[in-house]
Amino acid sequence: MDMTPENYQDYVAEQAEKSPLLKDTVMAFLIGGAICALGQGIKNIWMNRAGLDDESAALAASCTLILISALLTGLNLYNKLARYGGAGTLVPITGFANAVVAPAIEFRTEGLVTGMAAKMFTVAGPVLVYGTLASVIYGVILMLMK
């Protein structure tokens, strides 16, 4: 069977299941919003129950969200949530924690150093490197402007 690349692309487009864009968008909004609302609720608990100030409560809430995300990833529940919430589960702090924990769990059978430790930052590593580099560049620019 001879097919040109264009014919093959047309064939694939015909066979591919169409994504329900409106449903996916609504679910991402709802799940992402629920994660953010959970974060706000956790912050309020830290402020009201533990007596933390606003900045300390925000930090404690971030740490709590990271812990929850890592636990849900370890229990394979975060991926199930992501099937429904799609991009909504990429809310920065929970999505980042999931991106660090998931490869570590996947490669744990290869050992602590060559498996978990080596693979832990395969996804998140470039984000950390370029994020740090960008913040240094922006800091230097701001320092030179003042």
Side-chain angles (χ1 to χ4, degrees):
M1 173 192 234
D2 287 328
M3 285 184 127
T4 65
E6 293 81 19
N7 289 343
Y8 179 73
Q9 290 298 327
D10 292 339
Y11 174 74
V12 169
E14 289 173 12
Q15 298 299 316
E17 187 177 320
K18 303 296 182 215
S19 175
L21 186 61
L22 181 62
K23 177 186 170 247
D24 289 349
T25 303
V26 169
M27 289 304 294
F29 177 78
L30 292 174
I31 298 296
I35 292 171
C36 292
L38 174 67
Q40 184 63 49
I42 292 170
K43 179 184 173 196
N44 291 346
I45 290 170
W46 280 111
M47 288 176 70
N48 296 331
R49 302 286 169 108
L52 296 179
D53 62 273
D54 188 62
E55 188 174 330
S56 297
L59 178 63
S62 296
C63 292
T64 305
L65 284 173
I66 290 169
L67 176 66
I68 291 169
S69 177
L71 287 172
L72 290 178
T73 300
L75 297 171
N76 198 30
L77 296 174
Y78 199 89
N79 292 336
K80 291 178 182 177
L81 179 65
R83 283 191 201 125
Y84 294 104
T89 59
L90 296 177
V91 173
I93 202 151
T94 57
F96 186 75
N98 175 264
V100 171
V101 174
I105 291 171
E106 184 177 342
F107 291 97
R108 72 180 177 268
T109 57
E110 295 180 21
L112 287 176
V113 175
T114 58
M116 285 178 54
K119 302 294 183 180
M120 188 178 295
F121 291 103
T122 55
V123 175
V127 174
L128 291 171
V129 169
Y130 288 110
T132 303
L133 180 63
S135 66
V136 168
I137 291 170
Y138 295 142
V140 169
I141 290 170
L142 286 175
M143 183 183 73
L144 293 174
M145 291 176 68
K146 289 187 178 181

